[in-house]
Structure formats: C-alpha cells, structure tokens
Amino acid sequence: MYGLKQNRWYDGRRDVYESTQAAIRYLKKLHDNFDGDWLLALAAYNAGEGTVGRAIKREQGQNKPTDFWSLSLPQETKTYVPRLLAVARVFANAGDYALNLPHIPNKATLAPVAVAPGTNLQHAADMADISVEEMHSLNPGFNHGSTGPDEQTLLIPVEKSDTFKEQLTKLDWNAPTEAEDSAETGA
C-alpha cells in the first residue's frame, strides 16, 4: 500500500530506508486525514485509522470533544502518544533534565548504491571492505545471500561508498548472478 515490495528475495518491511520512507508517507496521510492533528495521526498510527475514526464518531454523536485527550482509545494508544511526546521533550530539552546527549551531526552516514540483480552480499561486503554481518545489518530486507533478480540498492557506509562504487565498475556484468543461477536450477 505504501510502496514496500515483498517477494522471495526481498522484504521491504525490514529495509530500514524503505520502511522509514513508507512510515513517513503513512504518517503524512494520517496527518491529512485527521485535519492536521498530529496527536490523532500518531494515535491512528498506533491503533489504526478505523479505531480512531470510530472513537471520533462516537464522541461527535454525543456532542463531546474529539481531540486526542478526550477520546476513548485503547490503553496502549493512550500511553503511546504521551510517551512519544515525553521522549521528544526530553531530547529537545536534554539540559533541563541533566542529560548529556552526545552531539550527532546531521549528515548522512550511509549511501544508497544501485547494484546489479543477484549481487552476492558476501562479495559486496568484501568490495565495500566491511564484514558480511555489517552488510546484512545495513540491508536486512534481503532474505537470502544476494539481492533479487531485479536491480536493487544496497546501503553502504558513506566512507566506503566510493571504493565500493569503484569496485562495481570492475565487475563482469555478463557473468551469471546468484539469483539467475538459482532461478535456472529451480533452487
């Protein structure tokens, strides 16, 4: 519904980048659906659009307020939204709470790099000069040891991405890929 692919080779729900983009699209939709009310949008993200919509209709039918704080919602949602607000406030005002949060620069740490269909993740890790465990942790959407038969994108640490791209240019793109070999043998 929000552009996440799912097949034998790949599950976009586990892809950190793609699932985050889908969540953002969904939150924006909920924000629009609930007339720009972020609290209702967050409640709907947690409990579902229908649950929040029905709660609003119940309250409207009784001429009662329909803001987040007035709705009868599941207990999990009643605590989810305030907890999220509390975490945001603590992070925004860490000094007021005697928290010394490390500064994290607002810059990309990962670079998306397009790769050929069936790219072996072990080989890609070697080319990026990272462990295969790190390659899998950065790209958890892949269900097997390679990308699928469609062109894919791998997330590579920014500091390794130029080397990785250079290594990609040296590959023989006419050699059979792991996905093609697997498809031909029925594995």
Side-chain angles (χ1 to χ4, degrees):
M1 195 168 159
Y2 290 93
L4 293 177
K5 295 178 187 174
Q6 187 179 10
N7 57 42
R8 176 178 175 217
W9 294 95
Y10 173 78
D11 186 344
R13 298 171 301 176
R14 292 192 329 253
D15 183 307
V16 177
Y17 180 80
E18 291 299 328
S19 63
T20 300
Q21 294 304 308
I24 291 168
R25 286 189 296 273
Y26 184 44
L27 277 167
K28 285 179 180 178
K29 175 193 175 289
L30 292 171
H31 181 256
D32 291 344
N33 288 358
F34 290 101
D35 299 324
D37 188 320
W38 277 115
L39 298 183
L40 293 177
L42 291 169
Y45 187 83
N46 180 259
E49 296 171 65
T51 298
V52 175
R54 286 187 296 277
I56 289 171
K57 284 184 182 177
R58 272 193 309 273
E59 298 300 308
Q60 285 173 333
Q62 298 173 15
N63 291 323
K64 292 183 177 179
T66 58
D67 61 286
F68 168 78
W69 305 106
S70 302
L71 295 179
S72 176
L73 294 168
Q75 187 59 42
E76 178 185 332
T77 305
K78 286 181 181 180
T79 58
Y80 172 81
V81 173
R83 284 180 180 170
L84 192 59
L85 294 173
V87 167
R89 178 166 290 202
V90 167
F91 274 85
N93 303 292
D96 295 346
Y97 301 100
L99 293 176
N100 187 15
L101 299 175
H103 173 71
I104 301 173
N106 186 14
K107 65 177 188 173
T109 58
L110 300 173
V113 180
V115 295
T119 297
N120 180 291
L121 296 182
Q122 172 67 60
H123 190 125
D126 292 343
M127 291 189 317
D129 193 30
I130 61 175
S131 69
V132 70
E133 291 80 16
E134 183 176 4
M135 180 62 73
H136 282 288
S137 73
L138 295 174
N139 299 281
F142 295 106
N143 296 329
H144 301 287
S146 69
T147 64
D150 299 324
E151 185 173 320
Q152 301 287 341
T153 300
L154 291 177
L155 291 178
I156 305 295
V158 167
E159 68 275 9
K160 307 280 185 166
S161 63
D162 286 340
T163 301
F164 182 71
K165 290 175 190 174
E166 186 179 313
Q167 293 293 324
L168 283 175
T169 64
K170 297 176 183 176
L171 289 179
D172 178 5
W173 294 108
N174 296 318
T177 64
E178 187 175 316
E180 290 169 340
D181 285 344
S182 183
E184 288 174 13
T185 60

